[in-house]
Coordinates of all heavy atoms in Angstrom, one line a residue:
R279 N 0.8 -1.2 0.0 CA 0.0 0.0 0.0 C 0.9 1.3 0.0 O 0.6 2.2 -0.7 CB -0.9 0.0 1.2 CG -2.0 1.1 1.1 CD -3.0 1.0 2.3 NE -4.1 1.9 2.0 CZ -4.9 2.4 2.9 NH1 -4.7 2.1 4.2 NH2 -5.8 3.3 2.6
G280 N 1.9 1.3 0.8 CA 2.8 2.4 0.9 C 3.6 2.6 -0.4 O 3.7 3.8 -0.9
L281 N 4.0 1.6 -1.0 CA 4.8 1.7 -2.2 C 3.9 2.0 -3.5 O 4.4 2.6 -4.4 CB 5.6 0.4 -2.5 CG 6.7 0.2 -1.5 CD1 7.2 -1.3 -1.7 CD2 7.9 1.2 -1.7
S282 N 2.6 1.8 -3.4 CA 1.8 2.0 -4.5 C 1.1 3.4 -4.5 O 0.3 3.7 -5.4 CB 0.7 0.9 -4.6 OG -0.2 1.0 -3.6
C283 N 1.4 4.2 -3.4 CA 0.6 5.5 -3.3 C 1.2 6.6 -4.1 O 0.7 7.7 -4.0 CB 0.5 5.8 -1.8 SG 2.1 6.4 -1.1
G284 N 2.3 6.4 -4.8 CA 2.9 7.4 -5.6 C 3.9 8.3 -4.9 O 4.4 9.3 -5.5
L285 N 4.3 7.9 -3.7 CA 5.4 8.7 -3.0 C 6.7 7.9 -3.2 O 6.7 6.7 -3.3 CB 5.1 8.8 -1.5 CG 3.9 9.6 -1.2 CD1 3.5 9.5 0.3 CD2 4.1 11.1 -1.5
Q286 N 7.8 8.7 -3.1 CA 9.2 8.1 -3.1 C 9.4 7.6 -1.7 O 9.6 8.5 -0.8 CB 10.2 9.1 -3.6 CG 11.6 8.5 -3.7 CD 11.8 7.4 -4.7 OE1 11.2 7.5 -5.8 NE2 12.5 6.4 -4.3
I287 N 9.5 6.4 -1.4 CA 9.7 5.9 0.0 C 11.1 5.9 0.3 O 12.0 5.3 -0.4 CB 9.0 4.4 0.1 CG1 7.5 4.5 -0.1 CG2 9.3 3.9 1.5 CD1 6.7 5.4 0.7
T288 N 11.5 6.5 1.4 CA 12.9 6.6 1.8 C 13.4 5.6 2.8 O 14.6 5.3 2.8 CB 13.1 8.0 2.5 OG1 12.2 8.1 3.7 CG2 12.8 9.2 1.6
H289 N 12.5 5.0 3.6 CA 13.0 4.0 4.6 C 11.8 3.3 5.2 O 10.6 3.5 4.9 CB 13.7 4.8 5.7 CG 12.7 5.6 6.6 ND1 12.3 6.8 6.2 CD2 12.2 5.4 7.8 CE1 11.5 7.3 7.1 NE2 11.4 6.4 8.1
V290 N 12.1 2.3 6.1 CA 11.1 1.6 6.8 C 11.4 1.7 8.3 O 12.6 1.6 8.6 CB 11.0 0.1 6.4 CG1 10.3 -0.8 7.4 CG2 10.3 0.0 5.0
D291 N 10.4 1.8 9.1 CA 10.6 1.7 10.6 C 9.3 1.1 11.1 O 8.5 0.6 10.3 CB 11.0 3.0 11.2 CG 10.0 4.1 11.0 OD1 8.8 3.8 10.9 OD2 10.4 5.3 11.0
S292 N 9.1 1.1 12.4 CA 7.8 0.5 12.9 C 7.3 1.2 14.1 O 8.1 1.8 14.9 CB 7.9 -1.0 13.1 OG 8.8 -1.2 14.2
H293 N 6.0 1.0 14.4 CA 5.4 1.5 15.6 C 5.9 0.8 16.8 O 5.9 -0.4 16.8 CB 3.9 1.3 15.4 CG 3.1 2.1 16.4 ND1 3.1 3.5 16.5 CD2 2.2 1.7 17.3 CE1 2.3 3.9 17.4 NE2 1.7 2.8 17.9
Q294 N 6.4 1.5 17.7 CA 7.0 1.0 19.0 C 8.2 0.0 18.7 O 8.4 -0.9 19.5 CB 5.9 0.4 19.9 CG 4.9 1.4 20.3 CD 3.9 0.9 21.3 OE1 3.9 -0.2 21.7 NE2 2.9 1.7 21.6
H295 N 8.8 0.2 17.6 CA 10.0 -0.5 17.2 C 9.8 -2.0 17.1 O 10.8 -2.8 17.3 CB 11.2 -0.2 18.1 CG 11.6 1.2 18.2 ND1 11.8 2.0 17.1 CD2 11.9 2.0 19.3 CE1 12.1 3.2 17.5 NE2 12.2 3.3 18.8
L296 N 8.6 -2.5 16.8 CA 8.3 -3.9 16.7 C 9.1 -4.6 15.6 O 9.4 -5.8 15.7 CB 6.8 -4.2 16.5 CG 5.9 -3.9 17.7 CD1 4.5 -4.1 17.4 CD2 6.3 -4.7 18.9
H297 N 9.6 -3.8 14.7 CA 10.4 -4.4 13.6 C 11.7 -5.0 14.0 O 12.3 -5.7 13.2 CB 10.5 -3.4 12.4 CG 11.5 -2.3 12.7 ND1 11.2 -1.3 13.6 CD2 12.7 -2.0 12.1 CE1 12.2 -0.4 13.6 NE2 13.1 -0.8 12.7
V298 N 12.2 -4.7 15.2 CA 13.5 -5.2 15.6 C 13.4 -6.4 16.6 O 14.4 -6.9 17.0 CB 14.4 -4.1 16.2 CG1 14.7 -3.0 15.2 CG2 13.8 -3.5 17.4
L299 N 12.2 -6.8 16.9 CA 12.0 -8.0 17.7 C 12.5 -9.2 17.0 O 12.4 -9.4 15.8 CB 10.5 -8.2 18.1 CG 9.8 -7.3 19.0 CD1 8.4 -7.7 19.2 CD2 10.5 -7.3 20.4
P300 N 13.2 -10.1 17.8 CA 13.7 -11.3 17.2 C 12.5 -12.1 16.5 O 11.4 -12.2 17.1 CB 14.2 -12.1 18.4 CG 14.6 -11.1 19.3 CD 13.6 -10.0 19.2
G301 N 12.8 -12.5 15.3 CA 11.7 -13.2 14.5 C 11.0 -12.2 13.6 O 10.7 -12.6 12.5
I302 N 10.6 -11.1 14.1 CA 10.0 -10.0 13.3 C 11.0 -9.4 12.4 O 10.8 -9.1 11.2 CB 9.3 -9.0 14.2 CG1 8.2 -9.6 15.1 CG2 8.7 -7.9 13.3 CD1 7.0 -10.2 14.4
V303 N 12.2 -9.1 12.9 CA 13.3 -8.4 12.2 C 13.6 -9.3 10.9 O 13.9 -8.7 9.8 CB 14.5 -8.1 13.0 CG1 15.3 -9.4 13.4 CG2 15.4 -7.1 12.3
D304 N 13.6 -10.6 11.0 CA 13.9 -11.4 9.9 C 12.9 -11.3 8.8 O 13.2 -11.2 7.6 CB 14.0 -12.9 10.3 CG 15.1 -13.1 11.4 OD1 16.1 -12.5 11.3 OD2 14.8 -13.9 12.3
I305 N 11.6 -11.2 9.2 CA 10.5 -11.0 8.2 C 10.7 -9.6 7.5 O 10.6 -9.5 6.3 CB 9.2 -11.1 8.9 CG1 8.9 -12.5 9.5 CG2 8.0 -10.6 8.0 CD1 7.8 -12.6 10.5
V306 N 10.9 -8.6 8.3 CA 11.0 -7.2 7.8 C 12.2 -7.1 6.8 O 12.1 -6.5 5.7 CB 11.2 -6.2 8.9 CG1 11.5 -4.8 8.4 CG2 9.8 -6.1 9.7
L307 N 13.4 -7.7 7.2 CA 14.5 -7.7 6.3 C 14.3 -8.4 5.0 O 14.6 -7.9 3.9 CB 15.7 -8.3 7.0 CG 16.4 -7.5 8.1 CD1 17.4 -8.3 8.9 CD2 16.9 -6.2 7.6
K308 N 13.6 -9.5 5.1 CA 13.3 -10.3 3.8 C 12.3 -9.5 2.9 O 12.5 -9.4 1.7 CB 12.7 -11.6 4.2 CG 12.4 -12.5 3.0 CD 11.9 -13.9 3.5 CE 11.8 -14.9 2.4 NZ 10.9 -14.5 1.3
L309 N 11.3 -8.9 3.5 CA 10.3 -8.1 2.8 C 11.0 -6.9 2.2 O 10.7 -6.5 1.0 CB 9.1 -7.8 3.6 CG 8.2 -8.9 4.0 CD1 7.1 -8.5 5.0 CD2 7.5 -9.5 2.7
C310 N 11.8 -6.2 2.9 CA 12.4 -5.0 2.4 C 13.3 -5.3 1.2 O 13.4 -4.6 0.2 CB 13.2 -4.3 3.5 SG 12.2 -3.3 4.6
S311 N 14.0 -6.5 1.3 CA 14.9 -6.9 0.2 C 14.0 -7.2 -1.0 O 14.4 -6.8 -2.1 CB 15.6 -8.2 0.7 OG 16.4 -8.7 -0.4
E312 N 12.9 -7.9 -0.8 CA 12.0 -8.2 -1.9 C 11.4 -7.0 -2.6 O 11.2 -6.9 -3.8 CB 10.9 -9.1 -1.4 CG 11.3 -10.5 -1.1 CD 10.2 -11.4 -0.4 OE1 9.0 -10.9 -0.4 OE2 10.5 -12.5 0.0
F313 N 11.2 -5.9 -1.8 CA 10.6 -4.7 -2.3 C 11.6 -3.7 -2.7 O 11.2 -2.6 -3.1 CB 9.6 -4.1 -1.3 CG 8.3 -4.8 -1.2 CD1 8.0 -5.7 -0.1 CD2 7.3 -4.7 -2.2 CE1 6.8 -6.3 -0.1 CE2 6.1 -5.4 -2.1 CZ 5.8 -6.2 -1.0
G314 N 12.9 -4.0 -2.5 CA 13.9 -3.0 -2.9 C 14.1 -1.9 -2.0 O 14.6 -0.8 -2.4
I315 N 13.7 -2.0 -0.8 CA 13.9 -0.9 0.2 C 15.2 -1.2 0.9 O 15.5 -2.2 1.5 CB 12.7 -0.9 1.3 CG1 11.4 -0.7 0.5 CG2 13.0 0.1 2.4 CD1 10.2 -0.9 1.4
K316 N 16.1 -0.1 0.9 CA 17.5 -0.3 1.3 C 17.7 0.3 2.7 O 18.8 0.1 3.2 CB 18.4 0.3 0.3 CG 18.3 -0.4 -1.1 CD 19.3 0.1 -2.0 CE 19.2 -0.5 -3.4 NZ 19.0 -1.9 -3.6
K317 N 16.8 1.1 3.2 CA 17.1 1.7 4.5 C 16.0 1.4 5.5 O 14.8 1.5 5.3 CB 17.1 3.3 4.3 CG 18.3 3.7 3.4 CD 18.4 5.1 3.3 CE 19.6 5.4 2.4 NZ 19.6 6.7 1.8
I318 N 16.5 0.9 6.7 CA 15.6 0.6 7.8 C 16.2 1.3 9.0 O 17.4 1.2 9.4 CB 15.7 -0.9 8.1 CG1 15.2 -1.7 6.8 CG2 14.8 -1.3 9.3 CD1 15.3 -3.2 6.9
R319 N 15.3 2.0 9.7 CA 15.7 2.7 10.9 C 15.9 1.7 12.1 O 15.1 0.9 12.4 CB 14.6 3.8 11.4 CG 15.1 4.6 12.5 CD 14.2 5.8 12.8 NE 13.0 5.3 13.5 CZ 11.9 6.1 13.7 NH1 11.8 7.3 13.2 NH2 10.9 5.6 14.4
M320 N 17.1 1.8 12.7 CA 17.4 0.9 13.8 C 17.5 1.7 15.1 O 18.4 2.6 15.2 CB 18.7 0.2 13.5 CG 18.7 -0.7 12.3 SD 17.4 -1.9 12.3 CE 18.0 -3.1 13.5
P321 N 16.6 1.5 16.0 CA 16.7 2.3 17.3 C 17.9 1.9 18.1 O 18.4 0.8 18.0 CB 15.4 1.8 18.0 CG 15.1 0.5 17.4 CD 15.6 0.5 16.0
Q322 N 18.3 2.8 18.9 CA 19.5 2.6 19.7 C 19.2 2.8 21.2 O 20.2 3.1 22.0 CB 20.7 3.5 19.3 CG 21.1 3.2 17.9 CD 22.3 4.0 17.4 OE1 22.6 5.0 18.1 NE2 23.0 3.6 16.4
E323 N 18.0 2.6 21.6 CA 17.7 2.7 23.0 C 18.3 1.5 23.7 O 18.5 0.5 23.1 CB 16.1 2.7 23.3 CG 15.4 4.0 22.9 CD 15.0 4.0 21.4 OE1 15.2 3.0 20.7 OE2 14.4 5.0 21.0
G324 N 18.6 1.7 25.0 CA 19.1 0.6 25.8 C 18.1 -0.5 25.9 O 16.9 -0.3 25.8
W325 N 18.6 -1.7 26.3 CA 17.7 -2.9 26.4 C 16.6 -2.6 27.4 O 15.5 -3.2 27.3 CB 18.5 -4.1 26.8 CG 19.3 -4.6 25.7 CD1 20.7 -4.4 25.5 CD2 18.9 -5.4 24.6 NE1 21.1 -5.0 24.3 CE2 20.0 -5.6 23.7 CE3 17.6 -5.8 24.2 CZ2 19.9 -6.4 22.5 CZ3 17.5 -6.6 23.0 CH2 18.6 -6.8 22.2

């Protein structure tokens, strides 16, 4: 939906950083690779 709306997409991130959870991050990396998205915001908050 985001890629088809006519905007130049710059990156991917997620609500409450769920994209970096173990198991979820693998899914996001694979999908970003498939869709040609090269930038993913990586949070640097402490554990």
